Amino acid sequence: MNPATFDDFMKLDIRVGTIVEARPFEKARKPAYQLLVDLGPELGRKRSSAQITQQYTPEELVGKTCIAITNLPPRKMMGIDSEGMLISAVYEYDGREGLNLLMLDDSIPAGAKLY
């Protein structure tokens, strides 16, 4: 593993976000959702995509409070800019890959910065 420095960590803008929209990403090669995440008054709403259709329905995602890295450069995903990365836990379970979005208590406001 290549160690990161404290300065590397401090470059990341990690924020609390609230998922306000989740819909199937029809153009994606693998099943995915297009998400609209509210990152608070300073950053506004940003688009992201996530291959989490086996773990969550759109209805389960809307209103959830999650963690996002917000200062990565936009990445084109089938013609649409993904403007942030939601943080997930990935693990092996029963011989298969498991994945869970890291979700927080909904009393933490969108836009709160994590250190």
Side-chain angles (χ1 to χ4, degrees):
M1 176 189 304
N2 188 14
T5 67
F6 182 75
D7 288 339
D8 292 334
F9 174 76
M10 291 306 295
K11 290 177 186 176
L12 297 175
D13 187 12
I14 307 170
R15 302 284 181 125
V16 172
T18 302
I19 299 172
V20 295
E21 181 181 295
R23 60 185 172 150
F25 193 172
E26 303 296 339
K27 294 181 179 181
R29 284 177 271 144
K30 295 181 181 179
Y33 293 130
Q34 283 184 27
L35 305 172
L36 185 61
V37 182
D38 178 4
L39 295 164
E42 183 181 342
L43 297 177
R45 293 179 172 193
K46 304 269 184 186
R47 292 228 169 262
S48 186
S49 62
Q51 293 177 340
I52 54 175
T53 59
Q54 292 183 350
Q55 292 82 15
Y56 304 97
T57 66
E59 296 79 19
E60 290 173 314
L61 291 169
V62 172
K64 295 295 184 192
T65 302
C66 58
I67 301 171
I69 300 175
T70 64
N71 64 335
L72 297 173
R75 185 172 176 190
K76 282 277 188 215
M77 305 292 281
M78 297 296 157
I80 296 178
D81 281 340
S82 185
E83 303 170 301
M85 178 183 289
L86 300 183
I87 303 297
S88 300
V90 179
Y91 53 92
E92 187 174 318
Y93 176 76
D94 223 7
R96 295 177 290 160
E97 182 178 86
L99 182 144
N100 290 88
L101 280 178
L102 292 184
M103 295 191 208
L104 302 171
D105 185 293
D106 64 3
S107 67
I108 303 171
K113 189 161 175 63
L114 283 82
Y115 294 95

